[in-house]
Amino acid sequence: MKPHVVIIGGGVTGLTAAFTLKQLASQENVALRCTVFEASSRLGGKILTHRERGFVMEGGPDSLLARKPEGTQLIRDLGIESEVVGSNTQSLKTYILHHGRLETMPPGTNMGIPAQIAPFASTKLLSPSGKARALMDLVLPKSTLEGDESLGHFLRRRLGDELVNNIVEPLLAGIYAGSVDELSLQATFPQFQTLESKYRSLILGSIAQRKNAPARTNTSGRSAFITLRGGLETLIERLYDNLQDFAELQTDTRVVALRKNSDGTYTVEVENQGETHAYPADAVILATPAFVTAQLLDPSLPEAGKLRQIHYVSTATVMLAYPKSRIDANLDASGFVIPRHENRAITACTWVSSKWPHTSPEDYVLIRCYVGRSGQTEALSLSDGDMASMVQGELKDILGIDAQPWFVKVTRWNDAMPQYGLNHIKVVKEVESALRQKLPGVLIAGAAYHGVGIPDCIAQGRLAGEKAYELTTTAAAPSGKASAPMVTS
Ligand SMILES: Cc1cc2nc3c(=O)[nH]c(=O)nc-3n(C[C@H](O)[C@H](O)[C@H](O)COP(=O)(O)OP(=O)(O)OC[C@H]3O[C@@H](n4cnc5c(N)ncnc54)[C@H](O)[C@@H]3O)c2cc1C
């Protein structure tokens, strides 16, 4: 009987795990069975591209970081390198809303931390006292704190509140739709801690690093951010095509229970169209949000309850398309971000047709706004129509756009963004260690644990696939497993 690996969750993490299993099994000519169970009606999870009316519109992520090799490697493995598009290098600028006006983000910063003194000295985003406080970073001693601290606590003690509130927080926390004061330094931006320990000052460290690496384009001259011409969902579609002859990909199938059997194998119970089926498995990869993973593991692993400490934030994206002739605003940048204290429903705005010109017909302008972040979720309770009106009102205030959009598309992401709080790394390590000891054939992977970016998820999917392969092919596979599902209710 072929060993059977069950993957729960058909987002990019789960599909990459399946793809890795296929690669390894075919390299070594090993017979392996793989099933992916996905609760929703589509594969891809947070990766969702709408291709409509000549536009390529991302409802979820719009790009991946080119410098992280796992994303580009998967793109190569899938043979879609020719589809890669870099963000427009003519629109690298980012604006920040400040007292209701858009001000340019000072050039030469390391994620908001000054890496060049002149642009920082002249920015209108900070008062003279805010600048003076930030420059104290040059003389402040290293921290003697041990262990984790919040990203906000760390940045505030080095650079002061004003720089953090006006520049750094809207840039950094946006990645998590979070709050810098709640996110863990070690789990989100450990490189800042390294800068402090190596250079003492974040500014001096950023200046030193800048000498070795250009700020936003990589050495090949390509953009730091890449996407795929037909949208990021192309990645999911190619994974799907590639997995056809290897894995069973079952959508509309929710996993409701996971049990360890006395012979060391597992039983995965799923619900599909009102029926419950049980599947035997030699290894199981949970590539689900942490709260789902906790629920599935709880009965056999009480330590999994700790995963509930990983809170999730909801957000939404609002896409607006306008005829170019109706827009007077000069959309000469990738967009803007909005600090919390500006009290807007929009948290960030991408000028999609400027940043990614291939996404929009020549005569149209495409704008995407984010709504909702940790502690600012009121606008998410509005209906789609009211949220769109609120966003249009704010775009009028900020950009002077008075025109009616040709169409608006709202995509909601409820409980979608995992927050890496204090001690995140410790919590994940403890659960992983308990799994190794008590449920050795069960692995967890995905955005909740070791990085939320798509390349981080791909890396985790790959690693989980490799471990599941090792577990099922090096140990003698337990015998007597039924390969067909058993209907239990
Ligand atoms: C609005 C938004 C913008 C983003 N922007 C970027 C960006 O520009 N760049 C970037 O790199 N990253 C970005 N991210 C983050 C990135 O998209 C995600 O972290 C990543 O796609 C998560 O992949 P995943 O497979 O781990 O999880 P998911 O995509 O969440 O997949 C998990 C899957 O598990 C399924 N599932 C849940 N419960 C069950 C169950 N009981 N049984 C079976 N299946 C189940 C779900 O339906 C889902 O399909 C963004 C995220 C969002 C929401």
Side-chain angles (χ1 to χ4, degrees), residues 8-14 37-40 44-47 59-64 253-255 287-289 292 296 315 317 368 370 413 416-417 446-447 452-455 457:
I8 311 175
V12 70
T13 305
F37 292 120
E38 166 54 47
S40 75
K46 306 295 181 311
I47 298 181
D62 77 343
S63 58
L64 38 124
T253 310
R254 179 177 301 279
V255 174
T288 37
V292 175
L296 292 174
T315 182
T317 58
R368 181 169 96 146
Y370 277 88
W413 296 106
M417 306 292 280
V452 298
I454 293 170
C457 295

Side-chain angles (χ1 to χ4, degrees), residues 294-462:
Q295 191 187 341
L296 292 174
L297 289 178
D298 253 356
S300 29
L301 190 79
E303 293 88 337
K306 291 179 186 163
L307 294 178
R308 293 200 173 82
Q309 292 174 31
I310 304 172
H311 293 294
Y312 276 71
V313 166
S314 300
T315 182
T317 58
V318 181
M319 189 75 81
L320 306 100
Y322 297 90
K324 206 175 246 171
S325 56
R326 305 292 312 278
I327 302 291
D328 291 331
N330 180 17
L331 305 181
D332 61 345
S334 61
F336 61 87
V337 294
I338 304 191
R340 281 172 185 271
H341 55 257
E342 294 284 328
N343 285 320
R344 296 286 185 170
I346 301 177
T347 61
C349 175
T350 307
W351 298 342
V352 183
S353 42
S354 303
K355 185 178 178 187
W356 307 107
H358 70 279
T359 59
S360 315
E362 183 74 4
D363 298 339
Y364 287 87
V365 161
L366 191 61
I367 291 177
R368 181 169 96 146
C369 297
Y370 277 88
V371 174
R373 59 183 152 199
S374 171
Q376 279 185 338
T377 53
E378 301 79 9
L380 296 175
S381 56
L382 297 173
S383 66
D384 285 4
D386 288 347
M387 190 190 294
S389 301
M390 178 172 256
V391 163
Q392 281 174 250
E394 293 195 356
L395 288 179
K396 184 177 173 196
D397 291 349
I398 298 167
L399 293 172
I401 295 178
D402 213 358
Q404 277 306 306
W406 179 30
F407 65 86
V408 179
K409 200 163 192 66
V410 176
T411 310
R412 290 180 184 267
W413 296 106
N414 295 331
D415 296 328
M417 306 292 280
Q419 303 296 298
Y420 291 10
L422 278 181
N423 298 319
H424 177 83
I425 292 176
K426 185 166 170 272
V427 164
V428 174
K429 265 193 191 149
E430 283 171 4
V431 175
E432 286 174 338
S433 152
L435 274 172
R436 275 193 300 274
Q437 286 164 31
K438 298 182 187 168
L439 303 176
V442 177
L443 303 157
I444 57 173
Y449 311 111
H450 300 284
V452 298
I454 293 170
D456 305 313
C457 295
I458 290 171
Q460 294 177 68
R462 182 164 286 278

